Amino acid sequence: MKKLLLLVLTFVCISRVYGQSIRLEKGKEFEINVHNLNHFTDYTENSNYTYAFKVLGKEGVNTLLDCRMVKAVLSNVNKNPVNSNELNSDSVRTARLNSSWTLIPLALLQQSFTVTVAPNGDLVKIDGVDEILQDASDRWVLNYNTTAELKNNGVGFVKSTIEKIFPQLPKQTIGYKSEWTGRYLSFNATAIDGALLYLAIVGKDKEDIAGSGIFNQVTGLFEQLQYKTLLKFFDINGKTKGYIDLNYKQKLRYGSGHYLAADTAWINMLVKTNQYFGKAFMDKMNFDSTRAFTYLRAHDDAFVNDPYYATAKLDLVQRGAGNNYEVYGKQLRSTPAKFLKGNEVHLFNKFSESMNTSADSAYEVSKYMYQMEAFNGLVQESYSQNFLFLKSADLLQNDDFKKYVAEKKLSDADVKKMLDEMSEKHAVTVTNSAKLLSMLHQDKNPLMQQKINPMYLWVNAKDHGNDKVVLSKTASAFMKMKDDEIKNGNGGRYALLFYKQLISVSQKGKAEALLQKTIENLERLAEDTLNKDRYAHKNILAYAWYLKYQAAKPADSVKALQYLSKAAQYSPSGNKEKAYVSFYDRVFLHSEESYRQQFIEKLFALGDNEQALKVFADHINSAPTSIDEMRKIYEQHFPDKKFKDFFAANILPSWQAAPDFVLKGIDGKERSLAEFKNHWLVIDFWGTWCPPCRDEMPAINVFNKELKDGKYTGVNFLSVACRDNAENVKAYLATNKFDIPAAMANETIEKLYNIAGYPSKILVSPEGKMLALKFGDDWAGTIKKFNDIYPVNN
């Protein structure tokens, strides 16, 4: 009797511990669809994954499940569509990969792994995921970074997904009005329908999570779950500066569905040819063109007429061809423009290729490009130059051309032949350009009109010379031009070109009215902080005021000086304000980057030294490479004073304080800003993945060797590798025998130092003040001169 009572008590205890549990028969199949829709401040994530489960049996009290991801739909959209991710396993050939995160579902698709779940829904273990991810990495020949991201993120992704699918159950049996708290959520059974309980859901700690669900008392599975939460972030003034809106849904279906088999061959090609992820075509740190071309020959037939493969092939051919552009050009010409949709680089190059052969082909490319930011650069920086008259005499005086002739040791006859060929080719390009401009102008798309019309007005007026009717209509069109047209079509540049034409044909009244209207338009756009091209407009505005200065100078020197002051005021005051397109604007307008120096000279001539020196200091900060020239000007006007004292009192204090940092060096030691106190420091932000960074590394290595040899006492150098990993950096430096101090960027340093591109150089003074240098400037020469003027322990 006592033995029987003991058995009953034991059964009761066990039943209490596992009163509510997962109860599934061996062989039972079910599917769960998991949908996440998450909105962030700058982007949206939308994922829809379907998992197929089959009960394998029991392992003690735990349930063993075979699990496969059978369908994946993923969309990650940010402000720049080019950087977005798209994946639908039912139509995988439309995939767009820009993140290693997207590789996770591709690796898991239709691959079996085992999930062990405790009776109360706790995840005991997952077997097989590590092997699946490693196999994918090997198959795709992923690089070190991507492999690490795939494995770390992949394991975490599967674990968090399974934990959400099986929320934690309570020890007691669940019934109507039951309440319990699981890992992350709290549940309340508010209604019942047979075996189904309808649940209200809130966050475990009553945080802002709200939702509902349906629980099956018999199987112990959640047949439906849905909940959402909204988190906001505030600045110090209490204003919202960001948010996260998370929405989760899952739905269960008993049985098994039919799904498309994974297109393994295409997926393998997709990932393997993505040079950002892989190392299939690398020999250590260098691109192996032999491997690339061998791979292409082996796969051309399998993927003929596949748009993605065509683009990937162009990527590989472009990189493998090196300086032999014709190899790439030939492949580019044979690739239909429609295959290149969304690829700015190849569309840009195909447009340029087409201009030498066919306006119709160039127009076809334009239709795939006009909505891209790259189209603005194509039109304003490249295509528009075809309407500038090419003068051989000007080219012969060009320093770069003379340098090229000297390097190639060309004879006079060689130069003449080259110029004749260039002139002939240019004539064909001009003819095609004119035809294309007419086609673009007739295009009815409003955005295309905005981007083309200002240039068309200028070219048309130029072609008609002295025709008063055309001049009058063109002047009226520029006077009525809307802001969207000025911004999208660089209307300021073409308005000032047309102003010059009006002056040249003695249409002074119309010219003055147009100049004043253009200044008003550009001032409005330059003051608009939401205008992404405000600095480009500001740079053109500086020249517009200079034109007004030139017009007023003969008759009214007082007003003229006021206008020159405006030109100096609107000249760029630092690298941030030196818009890239402004270089091309200066080519067209024959303008200067800055009018401060002219204004300084005028002020000195008038005896206004105080104002002159203020502008003088601003100019040095804006154009630090001009330091020698500015030093001479200062010493000419103040022979009894030391430029060093002016530099220390007026230049250095105006710089921003360099933010503190502590970074980990590739040698394992910490590097901080504090260790460079009382020394000049050059910080180089770069990455092994960045071609311009790699190009300048030999020169940087020489510079650093000079520092180690004590050539520039008081100057230090530190490279900060960004968006990279220490192993890559070590391997790159070792392979190329570069001896450069390198640290790894953390999560904040690039933002703290306002790094917008790579490579970027920052000079830090001995007092810890910083000055950003423009890419392409002689940074090494500048730091040497600054150290000469203001040496350490001065």
Side-chain angles (χ1 to χ4, degrees), residues 39 208-209 228-232 243-246:
H39 302 285
D208 293 332
I209 297 177
K228 66 182 298 182
T229 183
L230 176 63
L231 303 175
K232 292 185 178 180
Y243 66 89
I244 301 177
D245 180 11
L246 306 177

Side-chain angles (χ1 to χ4, degrees), residues 105-132:
L106 286 175
L108 295 174
L109 197 62
Q110 300 291 1
Q111 300 294 313
S112 290
F113 55 93
T114 305
V115 175
T116 305
V117 183
N120 69 338
D122 278 347
L123 176 60
V124 177
K125 62 179 178 177
I126 300 174
D127 292 318
V129 172
D130 276 319
E131 291 79 4
I132 292 170

